[in-house]
Amino acid sequence: MSQLFPDYRPSWETDQHRELRKHAAEFFRKEATPNQERWVAQHAVDREFWNKAGAAGLLGLDLPEEFGGTGGDFAMQAVVQEELVYAHDQCFGFSVHSPIVAHYLYVYGNDEQRKRWLPKVISGEAVLAIAMTEPGTGSDLQSVRTTAIREGDTYVINGSKTFISNGTHCDLLVIVAKTDPSKGAAGVSLIVAETNDLAGFERGRVLQKIGQHGQDTRELFFSDMRVPVANLLGEQEGLGFYQLMEQLARERLIIATLCAALAEAAVLEAIKYSKEREAFGRPIGNFQNTKFVLAECKTEALAIKTLVDYAIRQYVDGNNDPMTASMAKLFAAEKCDQVVDKCLQVFGGYGYMAEYPIANMYTGSRVNRIYGGTSEIMKEIISRSL
């Protein structure tokens, strides 16, 4: 239940979602919130935390029971993502692993691949990452330079990737590569690398970001790395670009969900602080300017939430609409940034101190307008419907 809007009920929320919310909130406040400072210092969550999250039943919730999931819906992933944000987590790479990459394996994997990989994904035994972005290649995925050339029963993969979330811990890596460099988008394929003790696979440096310091974002390098042809996702080569386009709406929707929760969390922190901090003999929340700023922020947080919940409802009902997901991500990411910025101002100088959650929200929020497709790309997609 939203603390900022206690009477608000999303149209998609059922009793099962509410029970899950309580469970996720309790788990993350106990297991994630107290460890944020240590995880930031080591640039990654503890590897064992993935196993704990799996044992708690918080990974792969919308995957079938035969693989260890609950057979739920995307909204369950959204609930877990929201509770992570409410718990002030900036470290756990849940959104990449569970709502995004696990779905690639389930939708495009064959029976053998699903049986081999999904139980480990759901238990936390195998951590997932996806290698899309390359140095010099961002949103233009058909221009990737990484190649996967077939030799007999293996692909020989060469290239490099950057900005890879879960780069430290990933055991299974979905690689966007050119199986036929002469065909442009039609030559792109998705290939799964099982990275443990894999010759030719190298994890590069941990990238120093302006925010989300506890997430293990790395460069990855492939040098004559051999992966079985059996690890190709899809019935044939050349489907990767279309698979990516089909799944990006889901990725953008989970980012929008994160932004909606982040805006709420920021407003809650600012309201709390405004009642505790005094200036000129009274709480700063009693000053008209502070009240007006917070009133505006609360209104904007609800506007974000309702649009995102509309998009989630649409997706749960079976309409994977890239335009609506793009609208949700565009509005949520842009407005969340503005809300967090105004809430930080309420804290004055303390808002600039890393020990305060609002400071980490501020630095962590900015990337939401970039990854999963920039705001500019979102506008381009939306404009096609005009």
PDB file of all heavy atoms in Angstrom, residues 209-232:
ATOM      1  N   LYS A 209      29.919   5.644 -11.633  1.00  0.00           N
ATOM      2  CA  LYS A 209      28.745   6.412 -12.054  1.00  0.00           C
ATOM      3  C   LYS A 209      28.487   7.564 -11.090  1.00  0.00           C
ATOM      4  O   LYS A 209      29.016   7.587  -9.975  1.00  0.00           O
ATOM      5  CB  LYS A 209      27.521   5.491 -12.113  1.00  0.00           C
ATOM      6  CG  LYS A 209      27.760   4.208 -12.922  1.00  0.00           C
ATOM      7  CD  LYS A 209      26.522   3.333 -12.989  1.00  0.00           C
ATOM      8  CE  LYS A 209      26.092   2.799 -11.643  1.00  0.00           C
ATOM      9  NZ  LYS A 209      27.048   1.830 -11.066  1.00  0.00           N
ATOM     10  N   ILE A 210      27.633   8.499 -11.482  1.00  0.00           N
ATOM     11  CA  ILE A 210      27.300   9.601 -10.573  1.00  0.00           C
ATOM     12  C   ILE A 210      26.267   9.168  -9.537  1.00  0.00           C
ATOM     13  O   ILE A 210      26.064   9.842  -8.528  1.00  0.00           O
ATOM     14  CB  ILE A 210      26.796  10.852 -11.322  1.00  0.00           C
ATOM     15  CG1 ILE A 210      25.471  10.576 -12.045  1.00  0.00           C
ATOM     16  CG2 ILE A 210      27.841  11.359 -12.284  1.00  0.00           C
ATOM     17  CD1 ILE A 210      24.826  11.827 -12.628  1.00  0.00           C
ATOM     18  N   GLY A 211      25.619   8.043  -9.767  1.00  0.00           N
ATOM     19  CA  GLY A 211      24.643   7.522  -8.821  1.00  0.00           C
ATOM     20  C   GLY A 211      24.602   6.010  -8.890  1.00  0.00           C
ATOM     21  O   GLY A 211      25.342   5.379  -9.645  1.00  0.00           O
ATOM     22  N   GLN A 212      23.736   5.399  -8.068  1.00  0.00           N
ATOM     23  CA  GLN A 212      23.590   3.947  -8.025  1.00  0.00           C
ATOM     24  C   GLN A 212      24.952   3.253  -7.880  1.00  0.00           C
ATOM     25  O   GLN A 212      25.282   2.299  -8.589  1.00  0.00           O
ATOM     26  CB  GLN A 212      22.863   3.445  -9.283  1.00  0.00           C
ATOM     27  CG  GLN A 212      21.462   4.013  -9.427  1.00  0.00           C
ATOM     28  CD  GLN A 212      20.734   3.496 -10.648  1.00  0.00           C
ATOM     29  OE1 GLN A 212      21.306   2.845 -11.512  1.00  0.00           O
ATOM     30  NE2 GLN A 212      19.447   3.796 -10.735  1.00  0.00           N
ATOM     31  N   HIS A 213      25.725   3.736  -6.925  1.00  0.00           N
ATOM     32  CA  HIS A 213      27.095   3.249  -6.763  1.00  0.00           C
ATOM     33  C   HIS A 213      27.167   1.791  -6.324  1.00  0.00           C
ATOM     34  O   HIS A 213      28.197   1.143  -6.504  1.00  0.00           O
ATOM     35  CB  HIS A 213      27.834   4.126  -5.748  1.00  0.00           C
ATOM     36  CG  HIS A 213      27.888   5.572  -6.128  1.00  0.00           C
ATOM     37  ND1 HIS A 213      28.551   6.019  -7.251  1.00  0.00           N
ATOM     38  CD2 HIS A 213      27.330   6.678  -5.553  1.00  0.00           C
ATOM     39  CE1 HIS A 213      28.418   7.335  -7.345  1.00  0.00           C
ATOM     40  NE2 HIS A 213      27.680   7.756  -6.335  1.00  0.00           N
ATOM     41  N   GLY A 214      26.103   1.263  -5.760  1.00  0.00           N
ATOM     42  CA  GLY A 214      26.119  -0.122  -5.306  1.00  0.00           C
ATOM     43  C   GLY A 214      25.747  -1.125  -6.375  1.00  0.00           C
ATOM     44  O   GLY A 214      25.741  -2.328  -6.124  1.00  0.00           O
ATOM     45  N   GLN A 215      25.409  -0.650  -7.569  1.00  0.00           N
ATOM     46  CA  GLN A 215      25.099  -1.577  -8.664  1.00  0.00           C
ATOM     47  C   GLN A 215      26.372  -1.927  -9.419  1.00  0.00           C
ATOM     48  O   GLN A 215      27.176  -1.050  -9.744  1.00  0.00           O
ATOM     49  CB  GLN A 215      24.072  -0.957  -9.620  1.00  0.00           C
ATOM     50  CG  GLN A 215      22.670  -0.914  -9.043  1.00  0.00           C
ATOM     51  CD  GLN A 215      21.606  -0.769 -10.116  1.00  0.00           C
ATOM     52  OE1 GLN A 215      21.872  -0.886 -11.305  1.00  0.00           O
ATOM     53  NE2 GLN A 215      20.384  -0.495  -9.677  1.00  0.00           N
ATOM     54  N   ASP A 216      26.520  -3.204  -9.720  1.00  0.00           N
ATOM     55  CA  ASP A 216      27.758  -3.697 -10.337  1.00  0.00           C
ATOM     56  C   ASP A 216      27.702  -3.519 -11.860  1.00  0.00           C
ATOM     57  O   ASP A 216      27.513  -4.467 -12.609  1.00  0.00           O
ATOM     58  CB  ASP A 216      28.042  -5.142  -9.953  1.00  0.00           C
ATOM     59  CG  ASP A 216      26.865  -6.089 -10.214  1.00  0.00           C
ATOM     60  OD1 ASP A 216      25.720  -5.621 -10.216  1.00  0.00           O
ATOM     61  OD2 ASP A 216      27.098  -7.293 -10.404  1.00  0.00           O
ATOM     62  N   THR A 217      27.903  -2.286 -12.284  1.00  0.00           N
ATOM     63  CA  THR A 217      27.882  -1.931 -13.700  1.00  0.00           C
ATOM     64  C   THR A 217      29.310  -1.997 -14.245  1.00  0.00           C
ATOM     65  O   THR A 217      30.197  -1.314 -13.752  1.00  0.00           O
ATOM     66  CB  THR A 217      27.320  -0.508 -13.889  1.00  0.00           C
ATOM     67  OG1 THR A 217      26.078  -0.399 -13.181  1.00  0.00           O
ATOM     68  CG2 THR A 217      27.100  -0.195 -15.352  1.00  0.00           C
ATOM     69  N   ARG A 218      29.508  -2.804 -15.281  1.00  0.00           N
ATOM     70  CA  ARG A 218      30.867  -3.067 -15.766  1.00  0.00           C
ATOM     71  C   ARG A 218      30.953  -3.008 -17.297  1.00  0.00           C
ATOM     72  O   ARG A 218      29.946  -3.024 -17.998  1.00  0.00           O
ATOM     73  CB  ARG A 218      31.331  -4.466 -15.346  1.00  0.00           C
ATOM     74  CG  ARG A 218      31.733  -4.597 -13.893  1.00  0.00           C
ATOM     75  CD  ARG A 218      32.227  -6.010 -13.640  1.00  0.00           C
ATOM     76  NE  ARG A 218      32.676  -6.217 -12.271  1.00  0.00           N
ATOM     77  CZ  ARG A 218      33.927  -6.123 -11.861  1.00  0.00           C
ATOM     78  NH1 ARG A 218      34.883  -5.821 -12.720  1.00  0.00           N
ATOM     79  NH2 ARG A 218      34.250  -6.336 -10.599  1.00  0.00           N
ATOM     80  N   GLU A 219      32.196  -2.992 -17.752  1.00  0.00           N
ATOM     81  CA  GLU A 219      32.501  -3.284 -19.142  1.00  0.00           C
ATOM     82  C   GLU A 219      32.710  -4.792 -19.256  1.00  0.00           C
ATOM     83  O   GLU A 219      33.189  -5.433 -18.316  1.00  0.00           O
ATOM     84  CB  GLU A 219      33.778  -2.568 -19.583  1.00  0.00           C
ATOM     85  CG  GLU A 219      33.699  -1.059 -19.510  1.00  0.00           C
ATOM     86  CD  GLU A 219      35.048  -0.395 -19.756  1.00  0.00           C
ATOM     87  OE1 GLU A 219      36.056  -0.909 -19.209  1.00  0.00           O
ATOM     88  OE2 GLU A 219      35.084   0.609 -20.477  1.00  0.00           O
ATOM     89  N   LEU A 220      32.362  -5.369 -20.412  1.00  0.00           N
ATOM     90  CA  LEU A 220      32.583  -6.787 -20.661  1.00  0.00           C
ATOM     91  C   LEU A 220      33.309  -6.946 -21.991  1.00  0.00           C
ATOM     92  O   LEU A 220      33.043  -6.205 -22.950  1.00  0.00           O
ATOM     93  CB  LEU A 220      31.256  -7.552 -20.701  1.00  0.00           C
ATOM     94  CG  LEU A 220      30.391  -7.515 -19.439  1.00  0.00           C
ATOM     95  CD1 LEU A 220      29.101  -8.280 -19.668  1.00  0.00           C
ATOM     96  CD2 LEU A 220      31.132  -8.055 -18.226  1.00  0.00           C
ATOM     97  N   PHE A 221      34.199  -7.927 -22.058  1.00  0.00           N
ATOM     98  CA  PHE A 221      34.995  -8.151 -23.262  1.00  0.00           C
ATOM     99  C   PHE A 221      34.919  -9.610 -23.691  1.00  0.00           C
ATOM    100  O   PHE A 221      34.954 -10.521 -22.856  1.00  0.00           O
ATOM    101  CB  PHE A 221      36.459  -7.770 -23.010  1.00  0.00           C
ATOM    102  CG  PHE A 221      36.636  -6.337 -22.574  1.00  0.00           C
ATOM    103  CD1 PHE A 221      36.772  -6.024 -21.228  1.00  0.00           C
ATOM    104  CD2 PHE A 221      36.643  -5.311 -23.510  1.00  0.00           C
ATOM    105  CE1 PHE A 221      36.928  -4.712 -20.815  1.00  0.00           C
ATOM    106  CE2 PHE A 221      36.798  -3.994 -23.104  1.00  0.00           C
ATOM    107  CZ  PHE A 221      36.935  -3.685 -21.761  1.00  0.00           C
ATOM    108  N   PHE A 222      34.831  -9.830 -25.005  1.00  0.00           N
ATOM    109  CA  PHE A 222      34.770 -11.173 -25.569  1.00  0.00           C
ATOM    110  C   PHE A 222      35.908 -11.320 -26.581  1.00  0.00           C
ATOM    111  O   PHE A 222      35.979 -10.563 -27.550  1.00  0.00           O
ATOM    112  CB  PHE A 222      33.434 -11.415 -26.276  1.00  0.00           C
ATOM    113  CG  PHE A 222      32.247 -10.854 -25.534  1.00  0.00           C
ATOM    114  CD1 PHE A 222      31.364  -9.981 -26.170  1.00  0.00           C
ATOM    115  CD2 PHE A 222      32.002 -11.173 -24.211  1.00  0.00           C
ATOM    116  CE1 PHE A 222      30.279  -9.456 -25.513  1.00  0.00           C
ATOM    117  CE2 PHE A 222      30.910 -10.649 -23.525  1.00  0.00           C
ATOM    118  CZ  PHE A 222      30.044  -9.779 -24.181  1.00  0.00           C
ATOM    119  N   SER A 223      36.779 -12.273 -26.342  1.00  0.00           N
ATOM    120  CA  SER A 223      37.920 -12.489 -27.227  1.00  0.00           C
ATOM    121  C   SER A 223      37.956 -13.958 -27.647  1.00  0.00           C
ATOM    122  O   SER A 223      38.337 -14.831 -26.855  1.00  0.00           O
ATOM    123  CB  SER A 223      39.227 -12.104 -26.522  1.00  0.00           C
ATOM    124  OG  SER A 223      40.340 -12.332 -27.341  1.00  0.00           O
ATOM    125  N   ASP A 224      37.519 -14.236 -28.897  1.00  0.00           N
ATOM    126  CA  ASP A 224      37.403 -15.617 -29.382  1.00  0.00           C
ATOM    127  C   ASP A 224      36.674 -16.497 -28.361  1.00  0.00           C
ATOM    128  O   ASP A 224      37.064 -17.636 -28.082  1.00  0.00           O
ATOM    129  CB  ASP A 224      38.789 -16.204 -29.699  1.00  0.00           C
ATOM    130  CG  ASP A 224      39.413 -15.567 -30.931  1.00  0.00           C
ATOM    131  OD1 ASP A 224      38.659 -15.063 -31.789  1.00  0.00           O
ATOM    132  OD2 ASP A 224      40.656 -15.555 -31.028  1.00  0.00           O
ATOM    133  N   MET A 225      35.623 -15.944 -27.797  1.00  0.00           N
ATOM    134  CA  MET A 225      34.831 -16.647 -26.790  1.00  0.00           C
ATOM    135  C   MET A 225      33.885 -17.618 -27.494  1.00  0.00           C
ATOM    136  O   MET A 225      33.122 -17.215 -28.374  1.00  0.00           O
ATOM    137  CB  MET A 225      34.042 -15.623 -25.960  1.00  0.00           C
ATOM    138  CG  MET A 225      33.234 -16.221 -24.824  1.00  0.00           C
ATOM    139  SD  MET A 225      32.376 -14.926 -23.889  1.00  0.00           S
ATOM    140  CE  MET A 225      30.981 -14.577 -24.966  1.00  0.00           C
ATOM    141  N   ARG A 226      33.956 -18.874 -27.115  1.00  0.00           N
ATOM    142  CA  ARG A 226      33.152 -19.899 -27.789  1.00  0.00           C
ATOM    143  C   ARG A 226      31.912 -20.257 -26.962  1.00  0.00           C
ATOM    144  O   ARG A 226      32.024 -20.612 -25.786  1.00  0.00           O
ATOM    145  CB  ARG A 226      33.996 -21.142 -28.058  1.00  0.00           C
ATOM    146  CG  ARG A 226      35.084 -20.896 -29.105  1.00  0.00           C
ATOM    147  CD  ARG A 226      35.891 -22.137 -29.418  1.00  0.00           C
ATOM    148  NE  ARG A 226      36.832 -21.850 -30.506  1.00  0.00           N
ATOM    149  CZ  ARG A 226      36.554 -22.019 -31.795  1.00  0.00           C
ATOM    150  NH1 ARG A 226      35.366 -22.490 -32.153  1.00  0.00           N
ATOM    151  NH2 ARG A 226      37.460 -21.724 -32.717  1.00  0.00           N
ATOM    152  N   VAL A 227      30.758 -20.156 -27.625  1.00  0.00           N
ATOM    153  CA  VAL A 227      29.473 -20.460 -26.997  1.00  0.00           C
ATOM    154  C   VAL A 227      28.737 -21.456 -27.893  1.00  0.00           C
ATOM    155  O   VAL A 227      28.731 -21.294 -29.132  1.00  0.00           O
ATOM    156  CB  VAL A 227      28.624 -19.177 -26.832  1.00  0.00           C
ATOM    157  CG1 VAL A 227      27.234 -19.511 -26.312  1.00  0.00           C
ATOM    158  CG2 VAL A 227      29.321 -18.208 -25.893  1.00  0.00           C
ATOM    159  N   PRO A 228      28.122 -22.482 -27.331  1.00  0.00           N
ATOM    160  CA  PRO A 228      27.423 -23.468 -28.165  1.00  0.00           C
ATOM    161  C   PRO A 228      26.325 -22.837 -29.010  1.00  0.00           C
ATOM    162  O   PRO A 228      25.605 -21.929 -28.550  1.00  0.00           O
ATOM    163  CB  PRO A 228      26.830 -24.443 -27.136  1.00  0.00           C
ATOM    164  CG  PRO A 228      27.670 -24.276 -25.914  1.00  0.00           C
ATOM    165  CD  PRO A 228      28.083 -22.843 -25.895  1.00  0.00           C
ATOM    166  N   VAL A 229      26.181 -23.309 -30.235  1.00  0.00           N
ATOM    167  CA  VAL A 229      25.094 -22.852 -31.102  1.00  0.00           C
ATOM    168  C   VAL A 229      23.745 -23.133 -30.443  1.00  0.00           C
ATOM    169  O   VAL A 229      22.762 -22.407 -30.665  1.00  0.00           O
ATOM    170  CB  VAL A 229      25.194 -23.544 -32.485  1.00  0.00           C
ATOM    171  CG1 VAL A 229      23.933 -23.318 -33.309  1.00  0.00           C
ATOM    172  CG2 VAL A 229      26.419 -23.032 -33.242  1.00  0.00           C
ATOM    173  N   ALA A 230      23.690 -24.145 -29.597  1.00  0.00           N
ATOM    174  CA  ALA A 230      22.452 -24.495 -28.882  1.00  0.00           C
ATOM    175  C   ALA A 230      21.985 -23.387 -27.952  1.00  0.00           C
ATOM    176  O   ALA A 230      20.853 -23.424 -27.464  1.00  0.00           O
ATOM    177  CB  ALA A 230      22.663 -25.788 -28.097  1.00  0.00           C
ATOM    178  N   ASN A 231      22.846 -22.384 -27.695  1.00  0.00           N
ATOM    179  CA  ASN A 231      22.473 -21.277 -26.801  1.00  0.00           C
ATOM    180  C   ASN A 231      21.866 -20.093 -27.544  1.00  0.00           C
ATOM    181  O   ASN A 231      21.620 -19.044 -26.954  1.00  0.00           O
ATOM    182  CB  ASN A 231      23.701 -20.804 -26.022  1.00  0.00           C
ATOM    183  CG  ASN A 231      24.095 -21.772 -24.920  1.00  0.00           C
ATOM    184  OD1 ASN A 231      23.680 -22.925 -24.930  1.00  0.00           O
ATOM    185  ND2 ASN A 231      24.903 -21.323 -23.980  1.00  0.00           N
ATOM    186  N   LEU A 232      21.628 -20.230 -28.838  1.00  0.00           N
ATOM    187  CA  LEU A 232      20.933 -19.197 -29.597  1.00  0.00           C
ATOM    188  C   LEU A 232      19.496 -19.099 -29.115  1.00  0.00           C
ATOM    189  O   LEU A 232      18.819 -20.118 -28.926  1.00  0.00           O
ATOM    190  CB  LEU A 232      20.953 -19.554 -31.087  1.00  0.00           C
ATOM    191  CG  LEU A 232      20.152 -18.653 -32.019  1.00  0.00           C
ATOM    192  CD1 LEU A 232      20.844 -17.303 -32.203  1.00  0.00           C
ATOM    193  CD2 LEU A 232      19.936 -19.327 -33.382  1.00  0.00           C
TER     194      LEU A 232
END
